[in-house]
Amino acid sequence: MNKVVSNVSEALIGIEDNMTLMVGGFGLCGIPENSIAELVKLGVKNLTCISNNAGVDNFGLGLLLQQKQVKKMISSYVGENDEFERQMLSGELEVDLIPQGSLAERCRAGGAGIPAFFTPAGYGTEVAEGKEVRVFNGKPHILESALEADFAIVKAWKGDTEGNLIYKATARNFNPMMAMAGKITVAEVEELVPAGELDPNQIHTPGIFVQRIFQGEKFEKRIEQRTVRTK
Amino acid sequence: MNKVVSNVSEALIGIEDNMTLMVGGFGLCGIPENSIAELVKLGVKNLTCISNNAGVDNFGLGLLLQQKQVKKMISSYVGENDEFERQMLSGELEVDLIPQGSLAERCRAGGAGIPAFFTPAGYGTEVAEGKEVRVFNGKPHILESALEADFAIVKAWKGDTEGNLIYKATARNFNPMMAMAGKITVAEVEELVPAGELDPNQIHTPGIFVQRIFQGEKFEKRIEQRTVRTK
Amino acid sequence: MALDKVGIAKRIAQELKDGWYVNLGIGIPTLVANYIPEGIEVEFQSENGILGMGPFPFEGEEDADLINAGKQTITATKGAVFFDSAMSFAMIRGQHVQLTVLGAMEVSQNGDIANWKIPGKMVKGMGGAMDLVASADNIIVAMMHSNKAGESKILKECTLPLTGVGCVKKVVTELAVMEIKDGKFHLIERAPGVSVEEIISKTEGNLVVPENVPEMVL
Amino acid sequence: MALDKVGIAKRIAQELKDGWYVNLGIGIPTLVANYIPEGIEVEFQSENGILGMGPFPFEGEEDADLINAGKQTITATKGAVFFDSAMSFAMIRGQHVQLTVLGAMEVSQNGDIANWKIPGKMVKGMGGAMDLVASADNIIVAMMHSNKAGESKILKECTLPLTGVGCVKKVVTELAVMEIKDGKFHLIERAPGVSVEEIISKTEGNLVVPENVPEMVL
């Protein structure tokens, strides 16, 4: 089943204002750089973005925030993204902050047909407001619901023409669950190979979850915190 | 973190009458043969076994059924196992039959600290009896709870001294989720290698879930339905 | 003349659409893989953990670690993937599989299906069937119209413990293709040489029969 | 004399036990990895998807695809594993990680912790902290005893939005080691040269002080 599209423009056909997008990555690690650049170019607005964080001010999803293309962020971490924090505190941007594990599991649940599940994370905090609480084994849990998206945009290391994906190291992060949860899932990969070249035993995201795949033109792979030791 | 034990006897130390065991495998594929043989030898009784099915009459978990070591099976499929069916119909054996996907997800939930989740599988059937029903997106779902076990016994293709596991082809099946859900997880592997020899990007079960690992002495790998075509 | 198993499989294969991921149950459904219409590409999922199931292996090339949900030795196609059971049912429950074909002991006119248990007599277990029928949008049942005693299995209401409720969309038997909608069976096609009267007489459930019932073209 | 950050990290490192999997938060907790007691082996999990986190890479060997939860470039030890975020929090939520060390803005005497938000002023987000504190059996907080204005952060009740409820077991500050039980802080050790009186004066929450409070040995 050939899922290959010729370039990023073709990959993002159908993305419109007001849509909900999942965008893979953790910080600047494992983010779909080419697709994000294209979203800026397209100028689509009022997006709801589900992404663990929003990159930094001038890279990653931070670029969409700068252009005011995002209406709402569903994330676990703002961190060092000043523009994100500013827009949130000023009320320009709606933000739904949720625990990182719940975010990951809610994406997986969306892809796996599980509409809701109980987790202890967030009990007794703002996160639990308005959510059902139930005690299991003497411990209170809250009911969390599945997340889905019109488009999920993920980044992988290698992919084949059938849409099978392999991620590298910690660039895997949220990408596999988001790939499962998109009505249309777009994968940009560093290296696109013919079907049969990847070991079927070693695929991280089976191609059934991927509708479109392309080889990204350029990956800057910016490092957020370069920490080293000397020899 | 060295998880290596010297043999199957050492691996199963602590297994006692009345315990709950998860046993990996689907049919005779990916079953922990050496551990099952040892359980027969140990003669532990009144076991509750969580396993997709119970092998065949004279191999796999069928061996424990023959020896009347099992009080209760929690499975999705009886299939062609006549002794399993006989003991169930005669009432000698308690059986909790649950949908295969729910079984897999309940094991994963047990390992992942999710006490319960909603699934559409089984709604309107015997499986739903006594379970909470809730409608999501217009579709009724039932609440299923997590499964855990005193011991989970799994079989992998390759493993390293840290307990990291890689499975082969469809012998993976229930092994990864059961590995997550055992209080003590025992892995028997075809090939045991030093830490660092397996690609960290390609581990199916991270060693954190495995308490004991050993190289199985002998794997018969019996085929249940040999189907071939001629050249 | 009533169809044989191969005939049923051939007719179901006509329902396949290009680009679909398909789960085939044990028995007749498995045969569907042999009759994929020309010019379309589909991929077969087996719930024990493979996407891209290929034909049986050549003699001597069987691999005990590579089986389908029927425990038969199989092969993997180019671009196939192996995964665990939780991932497999994530695909199924999450409706990423476009078509499920499975067998049944009974089907009712509101789309209920029973195929896992005869109380007191026989218990095969539901395996993955309950997940499949509760999740799939598109379910085709491959079955015989009557049981060995000659009693209809196409019923007003199922008598056996259910596998799923209101989920079957289409039934293909040795005699007919029927759609289920509005709480009734709708006769769509009849097997070559089989009369509408025979189908009516062997169908216990409410059957809507249009004026013209075309013969299947296999 | 009050401890510096390294001192706090060194003291917390004494809590490590052989065979533990440990999650270290951003900031002081990260430093704990540098002071693992001799003769024991622990493995570090970082919730963005690695088990077996090693030291920072040598210059020129940084890999943008290999970072920790603080977005710092790291290395992987022999036997390390990479995984996705769902699997990572399965480990955490499923209590497979034996110890979590994290920072805090406030801790209360019943074990509540606040560390993600100052309403109207600052929002970092909870990241993985809510999952970690709700799940871990063993949580140690590394923090300063007071804020920059000199106000105690060791409180009767937290004033900031909570990260978790009744979960903190132990607090290590620049002045003291305190255990939390029965709704009170219990002074266990004091930093070298720091008086019990100073600790009492800087602790707003109820503090149980035994007759003899040993100095930390670092």
Side-chain angles (χ1 to χ4, degrees):
Chain A
M1 231 95 92
N2 194 336
K3 312 285 181 75
V4 179
V5 294
S6 50
N7 56 42
V8 65
S9 317
E10 200 185 329
L12 300 191
I13 284 175
I15 296 190
E16 292 169 11
D17 292 357
N18 304 306
M19 276 190 168
T20 296
L21 311 184
M22 284 184 180
V23 183
F26 183 97
L28 303 181
C29 184
I31 58 172
E33 297 184 17
N34 294 279
S35 298
I36 291 171
E38 181 72 12
L39 286 171
V40 171
K41 220 169 98 186
L42 285 171
V44 282
K45 292 217 151 44
N46 280 321
L47 299 173
T48 295
C49 289
I50 303 173
S51 185
N52 186 58
N53 29 20
V56 294
D57 284 344
N58 60 0
F59 204 58
L61 282 189
L63 296 171
L64 292 187
L65 288 175
Q66 271 192 340
Q67 302 296 319
K68 308 278 172 68
Q69 295 179 257
V70 183
K71 184 183 66 180
K72 180 176 181 179
M73 287 294 308
I74 299 178
S75 303
S76 88
Y77 199 66
V78 178
E80 296 67 38
N81 190 322
D82 294 333
E83 180 65 11
F84 188 175
E85 192 170 4
R86 192 195 62 71
Q87 289 188 19
M88 175 171 32
L89 290 171
S90 72
E92 287 166 61
L93 182 70
E94 287 176 58
V95 180
D96 192 0
L97 283 174
I98 51 186
Q100 197 171 126
S102 298
L103 180 60
E105 193 66 18
R106 289 175 70 181
C107 292
R108 178 186 180 275
I114 291 171
F117 60 89
F118 284 97
T119 173
Y123 168 74
T125 76
E126 281 181 15
V127 164
E129 280 169 24
K131 287 174 186 162
E132 180 180 338
V133 174
R134 197 179 296 194
V135 175
F136 295 91
N137 305 315
K139 191 169 167 175
H141 291 71
I142 61 175
L143 186 67
E144 290 282 10
S145 60
L147 288 171
E148 288 177 88
D150 297 306
F151 277 78
I153 305 172
V154 303
K155 189 262 170 176
W157 182 34
K158 294 180 185 179
D160 71 15
T161 51
E162 303 250 324
N164 296 310
L165 305 177
I166 295 176
Y167 308 93
K168 194 181 139 211
T170 57
R172 194 180 323 180
N173 54 64
F174 282 84
N175 286 296
M177 287 77 66
M178 290 182 170
M180 293 168 73
K183 284 195 198 99
I184 295 176
T185 291
V186 174
E188 62 174 75
V189 300
E190 292 183 50
E191 191 187 347
L192 183 61
V193 303
E197 289 215 357
L198 302 178
D199 181 348
N201 221 23
Q202 299 294 12
I203 304 297
H204 297 138
T205 293
I208 193 171
F209 297 116
V210 175
Q211 279 68 47
R212 305 174 190 173
I213 188 170
F214 69 100
Q215 186 167 311
E217 217 166 76
K218 181 174 155 261
F219 289 94
E220 190 177 328
K221 290 201 186 186
R222 217 183 273 186
I223 289 175
E224 202 167 333
Q225 305 280 347
R226 186 178 306 270
T227 45
V228 294
R229 57 189 162 139
T230 39
K231 277 196 196 179
Chain B
M1 230 95 92
N2 195 337
K3 311 284 180 73
V4 180
V5 295
S6 49
N7 56 40
V8 64
S9 317
E10 200 183 329
L12 300 191
I13 284 174
I15 295 189
E16 292 169 12
D17 292 358
N18 304 306
M19 276 190 168
T20 296
L21 311 184
M22 283 184 182
V23 183
F26 183 97
L28 302 181
C29 182
I31 58 173
E33 297 183 18
N34 294 278
S35 298
I36 291 172
E38 181 71 13
L39 286 171
V40 172
K41 219 169 99 188
L42 285 171
V44 282
K45 291 215 152 42
N46 280 321
L47 299 173
T48 295
C49 289
I50 304 173
S51 185
N52 185 59
N53 29 19
V56 293
D57 284 345
N58 59 0
F59 203 58
L61 281 189
L63 295 170
L64 293 187
L65 288 176
Q66 270 192 340
Q67 302 297 318
K68 309 277 171 71
Q69 294 179 257
V70 183
K71 184 182 66 180
K72 180 176 180 178
M73 288 294 307
I74 299 178
S75 303
S76 88
Y77 200 65
V78 178
E80 296 67 38
N81 190 322
D82 295 333
E83 180 64 12
F84 187 174
E85 193 171 3
R86 192 195 62 72
Q87 289 188 18
M88 174 170 34
L89 289 171
S90 71
E92 288 167 59
L93 181 71
E94 288 176 58
V95 179
D96 193 359
L97 283 173
I98 50 185
Q100 196 171 127
S102 298
L103 179 61
E105 193 66 18
R106 289 174 70 181
C107 292
R108 178 184 180 274
I114 291 171
F117 60 89
F118 284 97
T119 174
Y123 167 74
T125 75
E126 280 181 15
V127 164
E129 280 169 23
K131 287 174 186 162
E132 179 179 338
V133 174
R134 197 178 294 193
V135 174
F136 295 91
N137 304 316
K139 191 171 167 174
H141 290 71
I142 61 176
L143 187 66
E144 290 282 9
S145 60
L147 288 170
E148 288 178 88
D150 297 307
F151 277 78
I153 306 173
V154 302
K155 188 262 169 178
W157 181 34
K158 295 181 185 179
D160 71 14
T161 51
E162 303 249 325
N164 296 311
L165 305 177
I166 295 176
Y167 308 93
K168 193 181 140 213
T170 57
R172 194 180 323 179
N173 54 64
F174 282 84
N175 286 296
M177 286 78 66
M178 290 182 170
M180 293 168 73
K183 285 195 197 100
I184 296 178
T185 291
V186 175
E188 63 174 74
V189 299
E190 292 183 51
E191 191 187 347
L192 183 60
V193 302
E197 290 215 358
L198 302 179
D199 181 347
N201 222 23
Q202 300 294 11
I203 304 296
H204 297 137
T205 293
I208 192 172
F209 296 116
V210 175
Q211 279 68 47
R212 305 174 189 172
I213 189 170
F214 69 100
Q215 186 166 312
E217 218 166 76
K218 180 175 155 263
F219 288 94
E220 192 177 326
K221 290 203 187 185
R222 216 184 274 187
I223 289 176
E224 202 167 332
Q225 305 281 346
R226 186 179 306 270
T227 46
V228 295
R229 58 188 160 140
T230 40
K231 274 194 199 182
Chain C
M1 211 185 70
L3 302 178
D4 57 5
K5 288 180 180 182
V6 166
I8 296 175
K10 278 185 178 170
R11 177 57 190 84
I12 290 174
Q14 295 176 5
E15 304 285 318
L16 299 174
K17 291 216 164 53
D18 191 38
W20 274 6
Y21 292 94
V22 179
N23 182 292
L24 301 177
I26 300 172
I28 300 177
T30 303
L31 302 175
V32 172
N34 300 329
Y35 305 102
I36 307 169
E38 266 191 45
I40 77 163
E41 211 184 334
V42 297
E43 209 160 299
F44 295 106
Q45 198 249 22
S46 195
E47 66 267 25
N48 60 314
I50 176 173
L51 195 68
M53 181 167 46
F56 295 145
F58 290 118
E59 223 174 315
E61 293 176 7
E62 313 92 274
D63 180 350
D65 291 326
L66 182 45
I67 64 170
N68 64 17
K71 282 99 182 175
Q72 298 172 310
T73 46
I74 53 163
T75 56
T77 61
K78 258 192 189 181
V81 199
F82 304 122
F83 36 82
D84 64 42
S85 303
M87 175 59 101
S88 181
F89 284 92
M91 293 174 188
I92 290 168
R93 218 188 293 100
Q95 306 197 312
H96 305 277
V97 174
Q98 278 81 20
L99 174 65
T100 288
V101 183
L102 77 175
M105 299 173 187
E106 297 179 346
V107 168
S108 82
Q109 62 198 26
N110 77 331
D112 295 355
I113 174 172
N115 73 351
W116 70 285
K117 184 179 184 180
I118 303 174
K121 267 198 190 161
M122 185 278 281
V123 192
K124 288 165 52 129
M126 66 290 283
M130 282 194 185
D131 308 271
L132 282 159
V133 300
S135 309
D137 259 339
N138 196 359
I139 297 169
I140 301 179
V141 168
M143 66 189 293
M144 291 295 148
H145 221 92
S146 313
N147 64 20
K148 282 171 191 164
E151 299 160 334
S152 180
K153 295 157 69 174
I154 312 296
L155 303 172
K156 286 192 169 58
E157 273 187 43
C158 292
T159 64
L160 296 172
L162 295 185
T163 307
V165 175
C167 50
V168 178
K169 299 286 185 297
K170 208 171 256 186
V171 181
V172 179
T173 73
E174 80 280 20
L175 304 178
V177 179
M178 292 163 291
E179 246 177 53
I180 298 178
K181 57 182 179 197
D182 309 326
K184 298 191 184 71
F185 293 101
H186 295 254
L187 185 57
I188 304 294
E189 289 177 22
R190 56 198 169 89
V194 169
S195 71
V196 167
E197 288 67 33
E198 182 182 352
I199 297 167
I200 292 174
S201 75
K202 290 186 171 165
T203 303
E204 195 248 16
N206 285 329
L207 182 70
V208 178
V209 183
E211 211 159 316
N212 177 35
V213 181
E215 273 192 3
M216 300 177 197
V217 181
L218 294 175
Chain D
M1 211 186 68
L3 303 178
D4 56 7
K5 288 179 180 185
V6 166
I8 295 175
K10 279 185 176 168
R11 178 59 190 82
I12 290 174
Q14 295 176 4
E15 304 284 319
L16 299 175
K17 291 218 162 53
D18 191 37
W20 274 6
Y21 292 94
V22 179
N23 182 292
L24 301 177
I26 299 171
I28 300 177
T30 303
L31 301 174
V32 172
N34 301 329
Y35 306 102
I36 307 168
E38 266 190 46
I40 77 162
E41 210 184 333
V42 296
E43 209 160 299
F44 295 107
Q45 198 249 23
S46 195
E47 66 267 25
N48 59 315
I50 176 173
L51 194 68
M53 182 168 45
F56 294 145
F58 290 118
E59 222 173 319
E61 293 176 8
E62 313 93 274
D63 180 350
D65 291 326
L66 182 46
I67 64 171
N68 63 17
K71 282 101 182 171
Q72 298 172 311
T73 45
I74 54 163
T75 55
T77 61
K78 258 191 190 184
V81 199
F82 304 122
F83 37 82
D84 64 42
S85 303
M87 175 59 102
S88 181
F89 284 92
M91 295 174 186
I92 289 167
R93 216 188 293 102
Q95 305 196 313
H96 304 277
V97 174
Q98 278 81 21
L99 174 66
T100 288
V101 184
L102 76 177
M105 299 172 185
E106 296 179 348
V107 168
S108 82
Q109 61 198 26
N110 77 331
D112 295 354
I113 173 172
N115 72 352
W116 70 285
K117 184 178 183 179
I118 302 174
K121 265 196 191 161
M122 184 278 282
V123 192
K124 286 166 54 129
M126 65 290 283
M130 282 193 185
D131 308 271
L132 282 158
V133 300
S135 309
D137 259 340
N138 196 359
I139 297 170
I140 300 179
V141 167
M143 65 188 294
M144 291 293 149
H145 221 92
S146 314
N147 64 18
K148 280 169 193 165
E151 298 160 334
S152 180
K153 294 157 69 173
I154 313 295
L155 303 172
K156 286 193 167 57
E157 274 187 43
C158 292
T159 64
L160 296 172
L162 295 185
T163 307
V165 175
C167 51
V168 178
K169 298 286 185 295
K170 206 171 258 188
V171 181
V172 179
T173 73
E174 79 280 20
L175 304 178
V177 179
M178 292 164 292
E179 245 176 53
I180 297 179
K181 57 181 180 198
D182 310 325
K184 297 192 184 74
F185 293 102
H186 295 255
L187 185 56
I188 304 293
E189 289 176 22
R190 55 198 170 87
V194 169
S195 71
V196 168
E197 288 66 32
E198 183 182 351
I199 296 168
I200 292 172
S201 76
K202 290 186 170 165
T203 303
E204 195 248 18
N206 286 330
L207 182 68
V208 176
V209 183
E211 211 159 316
N212 176 34
V213 181
E215 273 193 4
M216 299 177 198
V217 181
L218 294 175

